[in-house]
Amino acid sequence: GTNPMSFAFPRAKSSPPLVWDQASSVMARGEIMLAKRDGHQLPEGVALGPDGLPTMDPEAALEGSQRTFAGHKGTSIALMVEILAAVLPGASLGIELLDAPETKPTANGQLIIALDPSKLSGLSSDFIEDRAELLFST
């Protein structure tokens, strides 16, 4: 897997929430599958083949492994997500899903954390909204 992560933060009533969703790899597995289907090569630095060497071939990439974004720092984040979303809930580990989803359903794990900012910090929602809007305006 690519150990995806997402984050959302509500904003003032007149603004849409801040939302992002991303893989912890340089390129999502689905994008590699599309490149294979369409006969395209991958950009450099996306994947390693089954021999552990860099590859631009999507088929070799799907048999090998995807590289994490941000080098070793991305690897640490991917490991943290794997522990939180697979180890703790007892779901399948990425290494156990080598042929998925092509040949079998997966037992994906998830961890969802919802925080009430006013309970977390004791600050008023107006203060938190003002601080967030200051950040978003820069």
Side-chain angles (χ1 to χ4, degrees), residues 6-138:
S6 60
F7 175 82
F9 186 85
R11 295 183 61 193
K13 292 177 181 71
S14 61
S15 301
L18 167 72
V19 178
W20 60 258
D21 179 16
Q22 71 178 50
S24 58
S25 56
V26 173
M27 179 181 277
R29 183 175 178 84
E31 293 177 30
I32 295 173
M33 293 169 77
L34 290 174
K36 177 183 172 186
R37 182 196 72 191
D38 297 343
H40 298 142
Q41 291 289 302
L42 301 173
E44 285 188 43
V46 167
L48 303 174
D51 56 4
L53 298 175
T55 185
M56 294 171 62
D57 175 18
E59 188 166 344
L62 291 169
E63 294 172 10
S65 63
Q66 295 162 251
R67 300 192 67 179
T68 58
F69 73 95
H72 69 281
K73 292 180 181 186
T75 300
S76 297
I77 291 170
L79 178 61
M80 176 192 69
V81 172
E82 182 92 358
I83 290 169
L84 293 172
V87 173
L88 291 179
S92 296
L93 302 173
I95 58 173
E96 297 170 322
L97 302 172
L98 297 178
D99 60 351
E102 291 88 357
T103 60
K104 64 182 178 183
T106 62
N108 291 336
Q110 297 180 7
L111 174 68
I112 299 169
I113 300 171
L115 303 172
D116 179 340
S118 64
K119 289 189 171 54
L120 182 68
S121 65
L123 301 171
S124 74
S125 59
D126 288 339
F127 180 82
I128 293 168
E129 280 185 22
D130 289 346
R131 295 291 294 165
E133 290 308 312
L134 176 62
L135 176 63
F136 298 142
S137 69
T138 59

